[in-house]
Amino acid sequence: MQDELVLINTIRGQKARYCRFVDTKEWANLAELIADRPQLRFFAPDGTLLYEFDSAAEWIGLMRNYLDGSHTIHQVHNDEIEVVSDTEVKAIWSMEDYLLLAEGSDRPASIHGFGHYYETWRLMDAKWRLTDLELRRTILEIKPRQ
């Protein structure tokens, strides 16, 4: 098995890029981090499933449209990373995001959330890609547009 610390640091770097690419709206670069057919699920603080995607292209397209003209910050910390094998890593991250959304009929003024990402990363075509992601929110504050 590869050196565990090397794999852990590789996944930390991938997740850091994930956050940066969302905030800087580098959608093509974000797509390179995600498997074509991932399992992506997003839950409200009460456990209700808010969104579910099994297509990276569909999810990124939705984010591209929703975040157009917006300013965001996504931060992760307190990682718990388990190296399952040379080709699979599981991770849990504490997270916070803050979105100042552009005006639009379907957008609130801002969203501020906290929670945990539960993820699986797999080595595919010599690249570590996100194959499973669950965002389980613990706090979600949505400020309506005035």
Side-chain angles (χ1 to χ4, degrees), residues 24-58:
T24 58
K25 299 172 184 62
E26 296 179 49
W27 305 119
N29 288 333
L30 180 64
E32 287 294 313
L33 299 178
I34 303 170
D36 290 339
R37 305 294 295 170
Q39 293 296 311
L40 308 167
R41 292 170 297 282
F42 302 86
F43 294 89
D46 68 1
T48 303
L49 178 64
L50 297 172
Y51 308 101
E52 185 172 22
F53 301 92
D54 63 3
S55 163
E58 179 185 357

mmCIF file of all heavy atoms in Angstrom, residues 24-58:
data_model
loop_
_atom_site.group_PDB
_atom_site.id
_atom_site.type_symbol
_atom_site.label_atom_id
_atom_site.label_comp_id
_atom_site.label_asym_id
_atom_site.label_seq_id
_atom_site.Cartn_x
_atom_site.Cartn_y
_atom_site.Cartn_z
ATOM 1 N N THR A 24 -14.234 30.177 -7.097
ATOM 2 C CA THR A 24 -13.692 30.964 -8.217
ATOM 3 C C THR A 24 -14.404 30.632 -9.526
ATOM 4 O O THR A 24 -14.043 31.160 -10.579
ATOM 5 C CB THR A 24 -12.180 30.725 -8.373
ATOM 6 O OG1 THR A 24 -11.931 29.332 -8.568
ATOM 7 C CG2 THR A 24 -11.418 31.231 -7.143
ATOM 8 N N LYS A 25 -15.382 29.762 -9.442
ATOM 9 C CA LYS A 25 -16.221 29.374 -10.586
ATOM 10 C C LYS A 25 -15.398 28.791 -11.736
ATOM 11 O O LYS A 25 -15.642 29.065 -12.901
ATOM 12 C CB LYS A 25 -17.080 30.560 -11.032
ATOM 13 C CG LYS A 25 -18.014 31.039 -9.917
ATOM 14 C CD LYS A 25 -18.720 32.318 -10.263
ATOM 15 C CE LYS A 25 -19.555 32.830 -9.132
ATOM 16 N NZ LYS A 25 -18.827 33.163 -7.917
ATOM 17 N N GLU A 26 -14.435 27.959 -11.366
ATOM 18 C CA GLU A 26 -13.622 27.240 -12.352
ATOM 19 C C GLU A 26 -14.267 25.874 -12.592
ATOM 20 O O GLU A 26 -13.823 24.846 -12.102
ATOM 21 C CB GLU A 26 -12.186 27.092 -11.845
ATOM 22 C CG GLU A 26 -11.478 28.418 -11.685
ATOM 23 C CD GLU A 26 -10.062 28.267 -11.167
ATOM 24 O OE1 GLU A 26 -9.302 27.441 -11.712
ATOM 25 O OE2 GLU A 26 -9.718 28.989 -10.201
ATOM 26 N N TRP A 27 -15.352 25.895 -13.374
ATOM 27 C CA TRP A 27 -16.203 24.715 -13.520
ATOM 28 C C TRP A 27 -15.507 23.565 -14.226
ATOM 29 O O TRP A 27 -15.708 22.404 -13.850
ATOM 30 C CB TRP A 27 -17.502 25.100 -14.210
ATOM 31 C CG TRP A 27 -18.190 26.223 -13.490
ATOM 32 C CD1 TRP A 27 -18.488 27.465 -13.998
ATOM 33 C CD2 TRP A 27 -18.652 26.249 -12.132
ATOM 34 N NE1 TRP A 27 -19.096 28.245 -13.045
ATOM 35 C CE2 TRP A 27 -19.208 27.529 -11.886
ATOM 36 C CE3 TRP A 27 -18.637 25.322 -11.091
ATOM 37 C CZ2 TRP A 27 -19.752 27.893 -10.658
ATOM 38 C CZ3 TRP A 27 -19.178 25.686 -9.870
ATOM 39 C CH2 TRP A 27 -19.727 26.944 -9.656
ATOM 40 N N ALA A 28 -14.703 23.833 -15.233
ATOM 41 C CA ALA A 28 -13.983 22.758 -15.934
ATOM 42 C C ALA A 28 -12.997 22.079 -14.993
ATOM 43 O O ALA A 28 -12.857 20.845 -15.009
ATOM 44 C CB ALA A 28 -13.273 23.300 -17.172
ATOM 45 N N ASN A 29 -12.307 22.868 -14.172
ATOM 46 C CA ASN A 29 -11.373 22.285 -13.209
ATOM 47 C C ASN A 29 -12.110 21.478 -12.147
ATOM 48 O O ASN A 29 -11.653 20.409 -11.739
ATOM 49 C CB ASN A 29 -10.521 23.370 -12.555
ATOM 50 C CG ASN A 29 -9.493 23.940 -13.496
ATOM 51 O OD1 ASN A 29 -9.048 23.288 -14.431
ATOM 52 N ND2 ASN A 29 -9.123 25.182 -13.267
ATOM 53 N N LEU A 30 -13.264 21.976 -11.696
ATOM 54 C CA LEU A 30 -14.068 21.222 -10.736
ATOM 55 C C LEU A 30 -14.489 19.886 -11.324
ATOM 56 O O LEU A 30 -14.412 18.853 -10.657
ATOM 57 C CB LEU A 30 -15.300 22.034 -10.317
ATOM 58 C CG LEU A 30 -16.220 21.346 -9.305
ATOM 59 C CD1 LEU A 30 -15.511 21.132 -7.979
ATOM 60 C CD2 LEU A 30 -17.498 22.157 -9.119
ATOM 61 N N ALA A 31 -14.904 19.898 -12.572
ATOM 62 C CA ALA A 31 -15.347 18.660 -13.230
ATOM 63 C C ALA A 31 -14.248 17.608 -13.254
ATOM 64 O O ALA A 31 -14.540 16.409 -13.173
ATOM 65 C CB ALA A 31 -15.826 18.963 -14.644
ATOM 66 N N GLU A 32 -12.994 18.032 -13.340
ATOM 67 C CA GLU A 32 -11.867 17.086 -13.352
ATOM 68 C C GLU A 32 -11.706 16.353 -12.023
ATOM 69 O O GLU A 32 -11.077 15.301 -11.971
ATOM 70 C CB GLU A 32 -10.570 17.821 -13.689
ATOM 71 C CG GLU A 32 -10.471 18.228 -15.142
ATOM 72 C CD GLU A 32 -10.391 17.020 -16.071
ATOM 73 O OE1 GLU A 32 -9.599 16.099 -15.787
ATOM 74 O OE2 GLU A 32 -11.126 17.000 -17.071
ATOM 75 N N LEU A 33 -12.269 16.903 -10.948
ATOM 76 C CA LEU A 33 -12.148 16.288 -9.622
ATOM 77 C C LEU A 33 -13.246 15.268 -9.337
ATOM 78 O O LEU A 33 -13.171 14.541 -8.356
ATOM 79 C CB LEU A 33 -12.204 17.359 -8.532
ATOM 80 C CG LEU A 33 -11.127 18.431 -8.529
ATOM 81 C CD1 LEU A 33 -11.388 19.426 -7.414
ATOM 82 C CD2 LEU A 33 -9.748 17.813 -8.389
ATOM 83 N N ILE A 34 -14.275 15.243 -10.172
ATOM 84 C CA ILE A 34 -15.473 14.457 -9.875
ATOM 85 C C ILE A 34 -15.667 13.376 -10.930
ATOM 86 O O ILE A 34 -15.499 13.621 -12.117
ATOM 87 C CB ILE A 34 -16.700 15.391 -9.819
ATOM 88 C CG1 ILE A 34 -16.468 16.490 -8.776
ATOM 89 C CG2 ILE A 34 -17.970 14.614 -9.499
ATOM 90 C CD1 ILE A 34 -17.502 17.585 -8.809
ATOM 91 N N ALA A 35 -16.041 12.193 -10.474
ATOM 92 C CA ALA A 35 -16.369 11.109 -11.398
ATOM 93 C C ALA A 35 -17.555 11.527 -12.260
ATOM 94 O O ALA A 35 -18.390 12.345 -11.841
ATOM 95 C CB ALA A 35 -16.708 9.839 -10.621
ATOM 96 N N ASP A 36 -17.649 10.984 -13.452
ATOM 97 C CA ASP A 36 -18.758 11.337 -14.352
ATOM 98 C C ASP A 36 -20.117 10.984 -13.760
ATOM 99 O O ASP A 36 -21.090 11.701 -13.959
ATOM 100 C CB ASP A 36 -18.601 10.626 -15.701
ATOM 101 C CG ASP A 36 -17.443 11.166 -16.507
ATOM 102 O OD1 ASP A 36 -17.005 12.316 -16.256
ATOM 103 O OD2 ASP A 36 -16.952 10.438 -17.387
ATOM 104 N N ARG A 37 -20.187 9.853 -13.068
ATOM 105 C CA ARG A 37 -21.459 9.376 -12.501
ATOM 106 C C ARG A 37 -21.350 9.258 -10.979
ATOM 107 O O ARG A 37 -21.412 8.157 -10.427
ATOM 108 C CB ARG A 37 -21.833 8.028 -13.110
ATOM 109 C CG ARG A 37 -21.907 7.983 -14.638
ATOM 110 C CD ARG A 37 -22.995 8.809 -15.233
ATOM 111 N NE ARG A 37 -24.304 8.306 -14.847
ATOM 112 C CZ ARG A 37 -25.433 8.954 -15.074
ATOM 113 N NH1 ARG A 37 -25.419 10.104 -15.691
ATOM 114 N NH2 ARG A 37 -26.575 8.457 -14.687
ATOM 115 N N PRO A 38 -21.218 10.366 -10.291
ATOM 116 C CA PRO A 38 -21.100 10.313 -8.830
ATOM 117 C C PRO A 38 -22.468 10.152 -8.176
ATOM 118 O O PRO A 38 -23.501 10.289 -8.823
ATOM 119 C CB PRO A 38 -20.508 11.680 -8.490
ATOM 120 C CG PRO A 38 -21.148 12.578 -9.516
ATOM 121 C CD PRO A 38 -21.200 11.739 -10.780
ATOM 122 N N GLN A 39 -22.448 9.895 -6.899
ATOM 123 C CA GLN A 39 -23.654 9.942 -6.082
ATOM 124 C C GLN A 39 -23.510 11.172 -5.196
ATOM 125 O O GLN A 39 -22.667 11.198 -4.298
ATOM 126 C CB GLN A 39 -23.796 8.681 -5.230
ATOM 127 C CG GLN A 39 -24.047 7.435 -6.039
ATOM 128 C CD GLN A 39 -25.381 7.509 -6.767
ATOM 129 O OE1 GLN A 39 -26.408 7.822 -6.182
ATOM 130 N NE2 GLN A 39 -25.360 7.226 -8.054
ATOM 131 N N LEU A 40 -24.311 12.207 -5.443
ATOM 132 C CA LEU A 40 -24.236 13.469 -4.717
ATOM 133 C C LEU A 40 -25.577 13.717 -4.031
ATOM 134 O O LEU A 40 -26.607 13.765 -4.696
ATOM 135 C CB LEU A 40 -23.931 14.622 -5.682
ATOM 136 C CG LEU A 40 -22.720 14.438 -6.596
ATOM 137 C CD1 LEU A 40 -22.707 15.484 -7.699
ATOM 138 C CD2 LEU A 40 -21.441 14.491 -5.786
ATOM 139 N N ARG A 41 -25.542 13.862 -2.697
ATOM 140 C CA ARG A 41 -26.775 14.057 -1.939
ATOM 141 C C ARG A 41 -26.569 15.192 -0.932
ATOM 142 O O ARG A 41 -25.527 15.274 -0.280
ATOM 143 C CB ARG A 41 -27.156 12.765 -1.214
ATOM 144 C CG ARG A 41 -27.566 11.659 -2.181
ATOM 145 C CD ARG A 41 -27.706 10.306 -1.515
ATOM 146 N NE ARG A 41 -26.489 9.782 -0.938
ATOM 147 C CZ ARG A 41 -25.480 9.206 -1.614
ATOM 148 N NH1 ARG A 41 -25.547 9.099 -2.918
ATOM 149 N NH2 ARG A 41 -24.417 8.743 -1.000
ATOM 150 N N PHE A 42 -27.606 16.021 -0.790
ATOM 151 C CA PHE A 42 -27.541 17.194 0.070
ATOM 152 C C PHE A 42 -28.755 17.188 0.989
ATOM 153 O O PHE A 42 -29.889 17.138 0.509
ATOM 154 C CB PHE A 42 -27.514 18.467 -0.787
ATOM 155 C CG PHE A 42 -26.345 18.479 -1.739
ATOM 156 C CD1 PHE A 42 -26.439 17.857 -2.984
ATOM 157 C CD2 PHE A 42 -25.154 19.080 -1.383
ATOM 158 C CE1 PHE A 42 -25.364 17.848 -3.862
ATOM 159 C CE2 PHE A 42 -24.072 19.070 -2.249
ATOM 160 C CZ PHE A 42 -24.167 18.456 -3.491
ATOM 161 N N PHE A 43 -28.489 17.245 2.314
ATOM 162 C CA PHE A 43 -29.549 17.108 3.307
ATOM 163 C C PHE A 43 -29.708 18.377 4.145
ATOM 164 O O PHE A 43 -28.723 19.032 4.485
ATOM 165 C CB PHE A 43 -29.248 15.940 4.248
ATOM 166 C CG PHE A 43 -29.285 14.606 3.572
ATOM 167 C CD1 PHE A 43 -28.152 14.075 2.972
ATOM 168 C CD2 PHE A 43 -30.465 13.874 3.525
ATOM 169 C CE1 PHE A 43 -28.186 12.844 2.340
ATOM 170 C CE2 PHE A 43 -30.506 12.633 2.891
ATOM 171 C CZ PHE A 43 -29.363 12.119 2.303
ATOM 172 N N ALA A 44 -30.943 18.695 4.512
ATOM 173 C CA ALA A 44 -31.269 19.795 5.420
ATOM 174 C C ALA A 44 -30.924 19.383 6.848
ATOM 175 O O ALA A 44 -30.737 18.192 7.131
ATOM 176 C CB ALA A 44 -32.753 20.128 5.303
ATOM 177 N N PRO A 45 -30.869 20.344 7.780
ATOM 178 C CA PRO A 45 -30.580 20.005 9.171
ATOM 179 C C PRO A 45 -31.540 18.989 9.787
ATOM 180 O O PRO A 45 -31.146 18.220 10.659
ATOM 181 C CB PRO A 45 -30.673 21.356 9.895
ATOM 182 C CG PRO A 45 -30.287 22.355 8.859
ATOM 183 C CD PRO A 45 -30.885 21.810 7.575
ATOM 184 N N ASP A 46 -32.789 18.941 9.319
ATOM 185 C CA ASP A 46 -33.747 17.970 9.861
ATOM 186 C C ASP A 46 -33.643 16.597 9.195
ATOM 187 O O ASP A 46 -34.419 15.697 9.491
ATOM 188 C CB ASP A 46 -35.175 18.505 9.764
ATOM 189 C CG ASP A 46 -35.685 18.625 8.326
ATOM 190 O OD1 ASP A 46 -34.948 18.283 7.368
ATOM 191 O OD2 ASP A 46 -36.835 19.082 8.157
ATOM 192 N N GLY A 47 -32.663 16.431 8.285
ATOM 193 C CA GLY A 47 -32.456 15.142 7.623
ATOM 194 C C GLY A 47 -33.190 14.985 6.306
ATOM 195 O O GLY A 47 -33.027 13.978 5.624
ATOM 196 N N THR A 48 -33.988 15.962 5.922
ATOM 197 C CA THR A 48 -34.714 15.908 4.658
ATOM 198 C C THR A 48 -33.743 15.998 3.485
ATOM 199 O O THR A 48 -32.862 16.858 3.475
ATOM 200 C CB THR A 48 -35.711 17.090 4.566
ATOM 201 O OG1 THR A 48 -36.590 17.042 5.680
ATOM 202 C CG2 THR A 48 -36.498 17.041 3.266
ATOM 203 N N LEU A 49 -33.906 15.120 2.510
ATOM 204 C CA LEU A 49 -33.096 15.174 1.299
ATOM 205 C C LEU A 49 -33.531 16.379 0.476
ATOM 206 O O LEU A 49 -34.695 16.491 0.092
ATOM 207 C CB LEU A 49 -33.258 13.894 0.480
ATOM 208 C CG LEU A 49 -32.492 13.824 -0.840
ATOM 209 C CD1 LEU A 49 -30.988 13.860 -0.617
ATOM 210 C CD2 LEU A 49 -32.898 12.579 -1.623
ATOM 211 N N LEU A 50 -32.598 17.306 0.228
ATOM 212 C CA LEU A 50 -32.909 18.503 -0.545
ATOM 213 C C LEU A 50 -32.655 18.295 -2.032
ATOM 214 O O LEU A 50 -33.458 18.698 -2.865
ATOM 215 C CB LEU A 50 -32.063 19.679 -0.049
ATOM 216 C CG LEU A 50 -32.288 20.113 1.387
ATOM 217 C CD1 LEU A 50 -31.244 21.148 1.799
ATOM 218 C CD2 LEU A 50 -33.701 20.658 1.550
ATOM 219 N N TYR A 51 -31.505 17.705 -2.361
ATOM 220 C CA TYR A 51 -31.094 17.517 -3.757
ATOM 221 C C TYR A 51 -30.336 16.207 -3.879
ATOM 222 O O TYR A 51 -29.639 15.800 -2.951
ATOM 223 C CB TYR A 51 -30.171 18.650 -4.230
ATOM 224 C CG TYR A 51 -30.715 20.020 -3.997
ATOM 225 C CD1 TYR A 51 -30.271 20.796 -2.926
ATOM 226 C CD2 TYR A 51 -31.684 20.565 -4.838
ATOM 227 C CE1 TYR A 51 -30.773 22.066 -2.706
ATOM 228 C CE2 TYR A 51 -32.189 21.833 -4.624
ATOM 229 C CZ TYR A 51 -31.729 22.579 -3.551
ATOM 230 O OH TYR A 51 -32.233 23.816 -3.329
ATOM 231 N N GLU A 52 -30.437 15.623 -5.073
ATOM 232 C CA GLU A 52 -29.694 14.400 -5.363
ATOM 233 C C GLU A 52 -29.320 14.412 -6.839
ATOM 234 O O GLU A 52 -30.154 14.737 -7.685
ATOM 235 C CB GLU A 52 -30.552 13.179 -5.037
ATOM 236 C CG GLU A 52 -29.843 11.873 -5.188
ATOM 237 C CD GLU A 52 -30.665 10.708 -4.658
ATOM 238 O OE1 GLU A 52 -31.910 10.813 -4.554
ATOM 239 O OE2 GLU A 52 -30.052 9.673 -4.357
ATOM 240 N N PHE A 53 -28.068 14.078 -7.116
ATOM 241 C CA PHE A 53 -27.570 14.061 -8.489
ATOM 242 C C PHE A 53 -26.744 12.803 -8.707
ATOM 243 O O PHE A 53 -26.053 12.339 -7.805
ATOM 244 C CB PHE A 53 -26.676 15.277 -8.772
ATOM 245 C CG PHE A 53 -27.361 16.591 -8.575
ATOM 246 C CD1 PHE A 53 -27.306 17.243 -7.356
ATOM 247 C CD2 PHE A 53 -28.076 17.176 -9.604
ATOM 248 C CE1 PHE A 53 -27.943 18.461 -7.160
ATOM 249 C CE2 PHE A 53 -28.718 18.390 -9.422
ATOM 250 C CZ PHE A 53 -28.656 19.031 -8.195
ATOM 251 N N ASP A 54 -26.802 12.276 -9.921
ATOM 252 C CA ASP A 54 -25.919 11.175 -10.308
ATOM 253 C C ASP A 54 -25.172 11.507 -11.597
ATOM 254 O O ASP A 54 -24.682 10.630 -12.286
ATOM 255 C CB ASP A 54 -26.671 9.856 -10.427
ATOM 256 C CG ASP A 54 -27.735 9.874 -11.510
ATOM 257 O OD1 ASP A 54 -27.867 10.891 -12.220
ATOM 258 O OD2 ASP A 54 -28.429 8.855 -11.654
ATOM 259 N N SER A 55 -25.079 12.796 -11.878
ATOM 260 C CA SER A 55 -24.354 13.287 -13.050
ATOM 261 C C SER A 55 -23.551 14.519 -12.644
ATOM 262 O O SER A 55 -24.141 15.521 -12.204
ATOM 263 C CB SER A 55 -25.333 13.654 -14.167
ATOM 264 O OG SER A 55 -24.708 14.480 -15.127
ATOM 265 N N ALA A 56 -22.237 14.440 -12.781
ATOM 266 C CA ALA A 56 -21.395 15.595 -12.469
ATOM 267 C C ALA A 56 -21.757 16.771 -13.365
ATOM 268 O O ALA A 56 -21.849 17.909 -12.904
ATOM 269 C CB ALA A 56 -19.919 15.226 -12.621
ATOM 270 N N ALA A 57 -21.984 16.514 -14.639
ATOM 271 C CA ALA A 57 -22.298 17.595 -15.583
ATOM 272 C C ALA A 57 -23.593 18.307 -15.193
ATOM 273 O O ALA A 57 -23.676 19.537 -15.249
ATOM 274 C CB ALA A 57 -22.390 17.044 -17.002
ATOM 275 N N GLU A 58 -24.603 17.555 -14.797
ATOM 276 C CA GLU A 58 -25.879 18.160 -14.399
ATOM 277 C C GLU A 58 -25.701 19.027 -13.151
ATOM 278 O O GLU A 58 -26.185 20.157 -13.073
ATOM 279 C CB GLU A 58 -26.922 17.070 -14.141
ATOM 280 C CG GLU A 58 -28.265 17.610 -13.710
ATOM 281 C CD GLU A 58 -29.251 16.513 -13.343
ATOM 282 O OE1 GLU A 58 -28.936 15.314 -13.467
ATOM 283 O OE2 GLU A 58 -30.362 16.877 -12.898
#
